[in-house]
Amino acid sequence: MKSFTDIRWYLAIVFVLMSGLCSRLNAQTGSQYLYVVYKESVTMDQESPFVRNNLSITNIFSQPLQFTITYSSPEGYAVISQNGMTYELAPGENTIIPLTFSRDKKAKAGTEMAGIDIQLKNPSVKLEYGFKIVNLSVKELRVYQDIQDVMVSVTDPHIELPLRIRNVGNTTQTFEVNYFSKAINLNSRRIKIVLPQQKDTLLVYKYDMPQYFVKSLTKPIVITARIGNDTVGSIYSFKVSKLGTSNKQNKNAYNFIPLTVEGGYLANNADRSYYFGITGAYQFKPGEQISFFYRSKQYGIRSVQNDVFGISLRYHKWDYQLGLLSDSRQFFTSGLGASVGYQKNEVEGTRLTVISNLMSNNSINKNQTAIFTSSYKVKGLLLGTFLSVNQDPLSHTNSAIGIQHINIWSRENLLLRLIGGAGADVRERNDDKKYMVGSTVGYDFIFGRPHWKIMSSVLFNSNNFPGVYKGWRNQTHSADYYFTKKFSAGLFYNSSFTRQNYFIDSVYYDNRYLYNLTNYGARVGFNFKKVALTLGVARTQSLEYSSSTIPEFTSGLFSMNWRIKNIGSLSINSITSYHGDFGQEHQQVLYYANTAVLNTRYGGVNVMYNRMPLVSRFVDSVTLLGYRDVMSITPFMSFVLWHKRINGRLQYSFYQATEPRGVNEMQSVMGTIMYMNANAGVDVTLFGSYVLKSTYTPSNFASLIVRKSLNVPIITNRKFYDLSLILYEDVNGNGHRDANEQGVPNAHIIVNETSLYSGEEGEVRYKNVAKGAYRLDFHEMNNSKGLIPVRGFQQFVTVTGNTKMEIPMNKGKVIKGGITIIFDSLSKTTFSNAYLRVTAIDSSGEKFSTLTDMLGNYQLNVPQNKYIVTLNPDAFDDGFKPVQMVQNANMYVADEMVLNYVIKQRTRKINKIDATVK
């Protein structure tokens, strides 16, 4: 018998060893009596509310053992398995005991310890064990919006936008709420809210709408509430309508001609001048419109232009223009011109433009140009033709250009366009004609795939090609591979060359290295959530503004765009180039170009710092003469005042260029202030620029512009009409208003989607409405007298001209009451009884609803019928529940019925577990 017992004991040891080898994730805890195996950590499945673990217990003692197991759960968890059960095991015997906890919604995210206590009876020994419960973080918000329609009036422009927000996750959440409306230029500061788990709050955003805007409000506007954080987010909308006894569907009853008159003062150094102007437009019908402008004086490129005007006419697919025109596609031209165009569809069209130098104020450019453009399809290919002839009387040159574009592919991820053309200059001087013929060729190519993006663009103009792009040669090639959405790598080649200097700043000469530059290399890109970063290496070669060629440099490229939360954005671009053996003297050369821009809602700063090498002008003797160091700093401030009627910008500019021959410097201030009153149709702009210090010829400028918008009605052409509604108490029930029958004030009516309230005499006016049928909705009227419409809560009226309609009303039934909240004595949360919706549904399914006021009271005016009166179940969760969600109201037997509701908070249960065994 003893030998058999010993064999079982040895078998138990083997079993324990095998169990340890087979479960590396299990805790292996033993003593001289029991060997216990279980999971030392359990990660919660978010789809299941249960925590499960299995205890494998083996008796490794030489005698039978009797023991009791007691479990202790952390806060937020409850023991479901039978607690305090007693077990008995013979030597070497094993048993598996399932263990299950339930997880409450209030269980916190994180790691908690659960206890397992085993009390042996003989011998009397207590064994203590434990395992971790890992509850993963869940971030989730539940937003309840019971109010979507908000009323505003001229006398009370204050609005309140309530949202009931609950944190239904298992961790404290910090989130932000932002209210936005483009219509009223509303972009509120972000409201920061911290909510513990399973807590809620009633957020009421209060805003006073600009009174001038409320006066001009004719149609509802939308205010959007954006709620969320880095993990969760949602958008909710409120519709704001003008509340009053009258409203307008359209601003004007008659067709009108919109005119804007303006006057101003201009000062350019010692020159002082005044001017006036007028612009206007008139639409005959859709697709037919005429517009025009006239200014007595304005500053152009070089000096003052006088009597500037323009007129345009659009007739279906045709449009015509006459007046001051300009064009810079191939030749710089500005002056009196005419243009006619025909647009067949979005991509096909033709235009002819002729521009003279009349009305031009440019003393160094007197070009006259005729331009023909056309885009058309031929067998599925989109072709574009550009033809231009130009006369330059100052240089005695006549020019002609013809360019053809062919779009072979034009898809989302595949584009191929070919460019080809020719041009000629004929220069006449002293009866001597000189002919120069040039050409242009090029293409644009884009190819994209999920991981690849290839771009290639080439444009070569010969040295004799006419116009401002004479000798222009540009090519850009790149191939990038996107390993992930956040990481890419690629190769690039860029080269540009121009013989012209139209694009070089005539004062500072600081962008000369944007042209005559070739660089090629490799780059990598990182695109994080708020930061886009590009790093690269390249070989760079440039032509200085003289004819000297700078040897190739090794360059480093850096580019960053950073969206800074709640602040703005920062952009930095930098190229640094180095050459260690430059010219005949084997010099070291370092040059770079750096720019940085910081933008915030209140202002920012632009910074540029460049170093450019200056080299000898002799090709056979390349020598570094020195550097040109350029620094530019421009801080600026933006401001918005008085409900965004006033906005402006102030800036200070500092520029300094240092080179061997001296230092050039300029400091200036510039400011713009604008006042805009949309209701009055007035805007005023004040601009000024003043040079504080300069080594150049200073140029100070100031202007004051005042504009006034006018709508001149065409009284012979009325387009919209007035709808008048008279709400009255029909005492005698004859359906007509008698002299002794009073109007019904403060009754809420919805005409289509526009909300109106009746005045003291019961009159409602909806002005300037289009002809047609209008629906009148009285379901939310709830007037103080408790009257209801005799002909039903939904009626229709047809407007064919100025229309007047009487709405008879008589005594209805009243359902009213209040909502009371009863909180748990241990609760620290809040739950408001304001803005809760109460709905009464009659036997036919017709609904009458209202919202509780700030004290939780409500009132419904309804006709005689039986009703189910209910709260909105979406407003409640497990934390707060109405004692009665639904109540019945029989308004056949009562004129007034009071139905009160009680909402109770669920009582918090505290489980106390005695883990000791007596």
Side-chain angles (χ1 to χ4, degrees):
M1 187 68 179
K2 181 179 180 181
S3 61
F4 179 71
T5 302
D6 292 341
I7 292 174
R8 290 200 303 176
W9 191 79
Y10 287 121
L11 289 174
I13 295 175
V14 174
F15 174 80
V16 170
L17 293 174
M18 293 300 294
S19 298
L21 292 173
C22 295
S23 181
R24 298 181 62 185
L25 295 177
N26 291 349
Q28 302 171 3
T29 308
S31 68
Q32 58 180 318
Y33 306 103
L34 296 176
Y35 192 87
V36 183
V37 180
Y38 56 89
K39 292 181 181 179
E40 64 179 358
S41 179
V42 177
T43 300
M44 289 296 301
D45 180 1
Q46 298 304 322
E47 302 298 326
S48 173
F50 300 108
V51 182
R52 305 185 189 277
N53 205 342
N54 289 330
L55 306 179
S56 176
I57 303 177
T58 305
N59 181 359
I60 58 174
F61 196 53
S62 60
Q63 297 179 10
L65 293 175
Q66 190 178 44
F67 53 90
T68 301
I69 302 181
T70 305
Y71 312 112
S72 60
S73 60
E75 183 179 358
Y77 299 86
V79 180
I80 292 181
S81 299
Q82 291 182 323
N83 209 351
M85 291 291 293
T86 301
Y87 302 88
E88 185 173 353
L89 292 178
E93 187 177 359
N94 171 264
T95 185
I96 296 178
I97 303 171
L99 170 59
T100 304
F101 291 171
S102 66
R103 177 182 57 183
D104 188 80
K105 289 184 178 180
K106 295 184 179 180
K108 297 180 180 179
T111 301
E112 301 285 348
M113 290 298 299
I116 305 171
D117 294 341
I118 301 178
Q119 180 67 52
L120 298 174
K121 291 190 176 181
N122 188 19
S124 180
V125 177
K126 183 178 180 181
L127 306 177
E128 295 181 350
Y129 306 96
F131 66 94
K132 298 176 183 178
I133 301 176
V134 181
N135 193 18
L136 299 178
S137 175
V138 176
K139 294 184 177 181
E140 185 176 352
L141 293 175
R142 180 176 178 270
V143 181
Y144 169 65
Q145 180 190 15
D146 211 345
I147 294 181
Q148 293 180 326
D149 298 317
V150 181
M151 303 295 119
V152 65
S153 67
V154 175
T155 57
D156 184 13
H158 178 76
I159 60 174
E160 295 183 352
L161 310 178
L163 290 172
R164 197 179 301 275
I165 307 170
R166 185 174 181 82
N167 178 4
V168 294
N170 59 9
T171 183
T172 298
Q173 292 193 64
T174 300
F175 60 94
E176 294 178 341
V177 185
N178 171 247
Y179 291 84
F180 174 82
S181 176
K182 188 176 181 180
I184 56 176
N185 293 323
L186 171 63
N187 189 7
S188 70
R189 292 183 177 179
R190 289 175 172 85
I191 303 170
K192 186 176 181 180
I193 297 178
V194 180
L195 271 184
Q197 62 184 105
Q198 302 302 314
K199 302 294 184 181
D200 69 354
T201 185
L202 176 62
L203 173 64
V204 181
Y205 178 70
K206 299 178 180 180
Y207 177 70
D208 291 328
M209 294 183 65
Q211 199 170 50
Y212 73 89
F213 180 83
V214 179
K215 288 181 180 179
S216 62
L217 185 63
T218 58
K219 296 180 180 180
I221 64 167
V222 174
I223 295 179
T224 300
R226 301 169 178 171
I227 306 173
N229 50 32
D230 294 339
T231 306
V232 296
S234 53
I235 296 177
Y236 298 87
S237 297
F238 298 88
K239 185 176 69 175
V240 182
S241 303
K242 183 178 180 180
L243 181 63
T245 59
S246 66
N247 201 350
K248 294 181 180 180
Q249 187 183 78
N250 298 280
K251 290 185 178 181
N252 299 281
Y254 299 91
N255 276 335
F256 60 89
I257 300 176
L259 296 177
T260 299
V261 294
E262 65 177 90
Y265 167 80
L266 304 173
N268 186 13
N269 289 334
D271 296 334
R272 304 286 188 273
S273 59
Y274 301 88
Y275 84 98
F276 71 92
I278 184 171
T279 61
Y282 179 71
Q283 183 174 341
F284 302 98
K285 59 178 67 174
E288 299 180 13
Q289 177 177 299
I290 187 171
S291 60
F292 63 92
F293 76 89
Y294 169 79
R295 292 187 186 89
S296 62
K297 188 176 294 185
Q298 72 175 21
Y299 277 99
I301 298 175
R302 293 289 175 180
S303 59
V304 177
Q305 295 173 297
N306 295 304
D307 297 321
V308 178
F309 73 92
I311 184 170
S312 64
L313 172 66
R314 181 171 182 82
Y315 183 78
H316 299 296
K317 296 183 179 182
W318 290 88
D319 71 85
Y320 308 87
Q321 299 178 32
L322 176 66
L324 179 65
L325 300 177
S326 61
D327 189 273
S328 60
R329 281 171 288 185
Q330 296 295 333
F331 303 95
F332 287 136
T333 308
S334 178
L336 179 64
S339 178
V340 58
Y342 175 79
Q343 194 67 31
K344 182 178 179 181
N345 50 48
E346 292 184 355
V347 296
E348 294 181 280
T350 301
R351 177 171 295 279
L352 175 64
T353 302
V354 178
I355 303 175
S356 73
N357 53 29
L358 297 176
M359 290 201 317
S360 174
N361 67 330
N362 194 334
S363 59
I364 64 171
N365 190 327
K366 292 293 183 180
N367 288 347
Q368 301 185 103
T369 300
I371 304 166
F372 172 82
T373 60
S374 181
S375 59
Y376 49 94
K377 288 185 177 181
V378 177
K379 294 183 179 181
L381 298 179
L382 180 62
L383 282 70
T385 300
F386 177 91
L387 302 175
S388 178
V389 293
N390 182 77
Q391 182 188 40
D392 185 352
L394 297 181
S395 64
H396 305 283
T397 303
N398 298 324
S399 306
I401 289 178
I403 302 175
Q404 185 69 46
H405 297 252
I406 303 176
N407 284 33
I408 298 178
W409 292 305
S410 183
R411 304 171 190 168
E412 183 178 359
N413 293 316
L414 180 61
L415 170 68
L416 177 59
R417 180 176 65 168
L418 304 181
I419 304 168
D425 280 338
V426 180
R427 186 168 297 173
E428 299 182 18
R429 288 188 178 179
N430 301 324
D431 298 327
D432 180 25
K433 289 186 177 181
K434 184 177 181 180
Y435 296 88
M436 292 179 291
V437 179
S439 62
T440 178
V441 294
Y443 68 85
D444 294 311
F445 175 73
I446 299 176
F447 176 75
R449 281 295 181 267
H451 291 284
W452 281 99
K453 187 172 184 180
I454 299 174
M455 301 178 64
S456 181
S457 179
V458 172
L459 181 63
F460 286 162
N461 291 345
S462 68
N463 292 339
N464 291 332
F465 187 74
V468 297
Y469 293 100
K470 182 186 297 288
W472 175 277
R473 297 160 197 170
N474 182 79
Q475 56 179 316
T476 301
H477 313 281
S478 65
D480 293 282
Y481 182 80
Y482 293 82
F483 298 91
T484 65
K485 291 183 179 180
K486 296 182 178 181
F487 176 64
S488 64
L491 304 174
F492 64 89
Y493 178 92
N494 300 318
S495 178
S496 65
F497 173 80
T498 179
R499 297 176 63 247
Q500 303 294 318
N501 63 353
Y502 292 106
F503 305 100
I504 296 178
D505 192 302
S506 58
V507 177
Y508 302 143
Y509 296 97
D510 288 335
N511 57 355
R512 68 192 67 176
Y513 281 113
L514 296 179
Y515 304 93
N516 304 344
L517 177 70
T518 298
N519 63 79
Y520 58 92
R523 64 190 176 198
V524 293
F526 304 90
N527 191 356
F528 304 104
K529 191 170 184 178
K530 295 181 180 179
V531 179
L533 186 67
T534 301
L535 302 173
V537 293
R539 295 285 288 174
T540 303
Q541 187 177 41
S542 175
L543 287 178
E544 219 262 5
Y545 63 91
S546 68
S547 60
S548 300
T549 300
I550 299 177
E552 280 194 353
F553 285 71
T554 299
S555 301
L557 311 177
F558 174 82
S559 175
M560 182 189 73
N561 290 289
W562 179 18
R563 299 190 309 275
I564 308 173
K565 186 176 181 181
N566 299 329
I567 296 179
S569 64
L570 174 64
S571 176
I572 299 176
N573 290 279
S574 175
I575 176 172
T576 302
S577 301
Y578 173 77
H579 188 84
D581 188 15
F582 183 82
Q584 297 177 342
E585 298 181 8
H586 306 284
Q587 297 165 292
Q588 294 183 348
V589 178
L590 178 69
Y591 77 90
Y592 39 78
N594 307 288
T595 60
V597 180
L598 173 65
N599 278 309
T600 74
R601 62 191 303 179
Y602 302 110
V605 60
N606 298 335
V607 178
M608 177 189 71
Y609 185 58
N610 295 347
R611 162 167 281 197
M612 298 171 249
L614 302 175
V615 300
S616 61
R617 296 170 180 259
F618 304 100
V619 177
D620 57 349
S621 177
V622 178
T623 305
L624 177 65
L625 302 178
Y627 290 99
R628 177 183 172 87
D629 292 318
V630 179
M631 175 184 293
S632 174
I633 303 176
T634 306
F636 61 91
M637 178 185 69
S638 303
F639 58 89
V640 178
L641 304 171
W642 198 15
H643 295 293
K644 300 191 176 181
R645 286 191 182 186
I646 296 178
N647 62 77
R649 175 185 171 114
L650 299 175
Q651 78 174 40
Y652 164 80
S653 297
F654 171 83
Y655 170 86
Q656 186 181 76
T658 304
E659 52 188 341
R661 61 184 180 183
V663 177
N664 294 320
E665 183 177 324
M666 178 177 285
Q667 298 181 45
S668 64
V669 292
M670 185 187 73
T672 302
I673 299 177
M674 297 182 63
Y675 166 79
M676 295 177 291
N677 189 329
N679 188 50
V682 174
D683 66 83
V684 180
T685 302
L686 175 63
F687 172 81
S689 175
Y690 183 76
V691 177
L692 301 173
K693 179 181 179 182
S694 177
T695 54
Y696 308 99
T697 302
S699 177
N700 301 317
F701 183 82
S703 66
L704 173 65
I705 301 173
V706 181
R707 294 186 179 93
K708 169 65 177 176
S709 297
L710 303 172
N711 292 323
V712 181
I714 305 175
I715 59 175
T716 59
N717 186 0
R718 180 156 187 169
K719 190 175 183 180
F720 305 111
Y721 299 90
D722 294 341
L723 170 63
S724 297
L725 305 175
I726 308 297
L727 281 68
Y728 69 97
E729 185 176 1
D730 191 9
V731 178
N732 57 19
N734 63 359
H736 298 283
R737 187 181 186 185
D738 299 322
N740 62 336
E741 292 177 334
Q742 297 182 349
V744 179
N746 302 320
H748 183 197
I749 306 174
I750 301 175
V751 183
N752 283 357
E753 294 184 353
T754 300
S755 293
L756 295 164
Y757 268 73
S758 58
E760 291 298 323
E761 298 299 322
E763 185 177 6
V764 174
R765 296 192 66 188
Y766 197 19
K767 300 178 181 179
N768 302 341
V769 300
K771 293 181 179 181
Y774 290 83
R775 177 175 54 85
L776 311 179
D777 190 344
F778 300 90
H779 282 86
E780 297 183 11
M781 61 182 306
N782 296 326
N783 59 90
S784 58
K785 291 186 176 182
L787 300 175
I788 62 174
V790 174
R791 298 169 187 160
F793 281 78
Q794 183 169 280
Q795 302 177 31
F796 292 88
V797 60
T798 301
V799 175
T800 56
N802 289 334
T803 303
K804 186 175 182 179
M805 179 179 179
E806 293 181 343
I807 310 292
M809 306 184 73
N810 58 21
K811 192 69 175 177
K813 308 290 184 174
V814 176
I815 303 174
K816 65 181 182 178
I819 297 177
T820 303
I821 311 293
I822 299 178
F823 293 94
D824 175 32
S825 60
L826 299 177
S827 174
K828 295 182 181 180
T829 189
T830 59
F831 190 92
S832 174
N833 56 0
Y835 300 111
L836 292 175
R837 185 167 293 280
V838 183
T839 303
I841 307 173
D842 68 14
S843 56
S844 65
E846 193 167 10
K847 297 180 179 180
F848 304 84
S849 66
T850 188
L851 294 170
T852 58
D853 59 21
M854 295 305 295
L855 299 177
N857 299 318
Y858 73 94
Q859 176 178 316
L860 289 165
N861 298 330
V862 297
Q864 180 176 277
N865 211 327
K866 290 183 178 181
Y867 293 91
I868 296 174
V869 185
T870 178
L871 302 177
N872 190 340
D874 292 336
F876 310 101
D877 53 27
D878 294 339
F880 289 88
K881 286 286 188 182
V883 176
Q884 266 187 299
M885 182 76 72
V886 176
Q887 299 188 59
N888 295 316
N890 186 352
M891 306 313 294
Y892 285 108
V893 298
D895 293 332
E896 182 176 296
M897 184 170 287
V898 178
L899 299 180
N900 294 317
Y901 291 87
V902 176
I903 300 171
K904 285 188 175 182
Q905 185 179 17
R906 187 180 67 174
T907 302
R908 180 185 300 179
K909 296 180 180 180
I910 301 177
N911 297 323
K912 294 184 179 180
I913 300 175
D914 188 357
T916 62
V917 178
K918 299 180 180 179

